[in-house]
Amino acid sequence: RDVALDVGEEIKDKLSKDSLLVVWLLDGSLSLVDNRAELAAHLDIMYANLDQQLSVPVKGKKKRLLMNSTVGFGQGVQAISPPYRVSTRATVAMREMGVDASGTENVCQSIIWTAIQARAGWDENRGQVMIVVFTDESGDDMFLLEETIEICRQLKVSVSVIGPTAILG
């Protein structure tokens, strides 16, 4: 099954309720460079289909805003592309982001940082926040799992994980 289709359906569902900021939180490991490029290619198609569907006005429904940003993580966390309406900025950033050679993958710390940063710039009145984590590891900071879940609940940030080890999925 195409993961981009699943994520696309989740994004579409959330957009039916309110505006949405999608933050792509990407593992910066060298082993995932090709996978990030493949994900970006799938997302380009998914976003093209979604843009086409969203461009058709629905009578009686308020137009929803879809914003996307990209964040990379490993030992640390770094904003790669700020929230922007044009989805291709996020997918270009996925292809061009640097590699974290540390071998450390602080997944939970990165989710916490991303949730706090996203909500600081996109409060509840603006709409929903969705973080999509792309990784092949459960992370080196699993001791923060419960705290991560609690912070995301408090901030009303949903988290989806793409990868073989879906720690919050």
Side-chain angles (χ1 to χ4, degrees):
R1 182 140 164 87
D2 188 343
V3 174
L5 287 176
D6 293 340
V7 172
E9 287 302 312
E10 188 174 352
I11 290 170
K12 197 162 89 173
D13 180 58
K14 288 183 180 303
L15 275 171
S16 72
K17 297 174 181 101
D18 203 351
S19 294
L20 177 65
L21 168 62
V22 179
V23 182
W24 296 94
L25 181 58
L26 308 172
D27 182 334
S29 299
L30 177 62
S31 62
L32 289 176
V33 170
D34 292 339
N35 299 93
R36 287 192 301 269
E38 185 178 339
L39 174 66
H42 284 283
L43 292 177
D44 283 336
I45 295 166
M46 184 228 27
Y47 276 122
N49 292 333
L50 190 58
D51 288 344
Q52 198 171 41
Q53 292 171 11
L54 292 174
S55 67
V56 177
V58 179
K59 191 173 183 171
K61 288 229 177 184
K62 181 179 127 185
K63 182 154 173 65
R64 306 292 187 206
L65 177 63
L66 173 60
M67 302 285 282
N68 293 275
S69 69
T70 308
V71 175
F73 75 92
Q75 185 173 17
V77 59
Q78 178 185 13
I80 306 294
S81 69
Y84 203 75
R85 282 182 129 165
V86 178
S87 57
T88 53
R89 286 214 180 168
T91 57
V92 166
M94 289 176 191
R95 290 178 177 97
E96 295 178 353
M97 72 178 267
V99 172
D100 180 293
S102 70
T104 303
E105 296 181 13
N106 289 320
V107 177
C108 290
Q109 289 177 37
S110 299
I111 292 170
I112 291 169
W113 183 90
T114 301
I116 291 169
Q117 295 301 313
R119 266 299 170 215
W122 186 267
D123 66 31
E124 284 185 56
N125 295 328
R126 290 190 73 190
Q128 306 166 86
V129 173
M130 173 183 180
I131 298 173
V132 182
V133 182
F134 183 70
T135 185
D136 61 351
E137 300 285 339
S138 58
D140 298 311
D141 58 354
M142 290 301 296
F143 60 92
L144 292 173
L145 181 60
E146 292 301 320
E147 181 181 348
T148 303
I149 293 168
E150 184 56 32
I151 289 170
C152 288
R153 280 187 182 144
Q154 287 173 1
L155 295 174
K156 296 182 180 170
V157 172
S158 68
V159 179
S160 296
V161 181
I162 300 173
T165 312
I167 60 167
L168 297 174

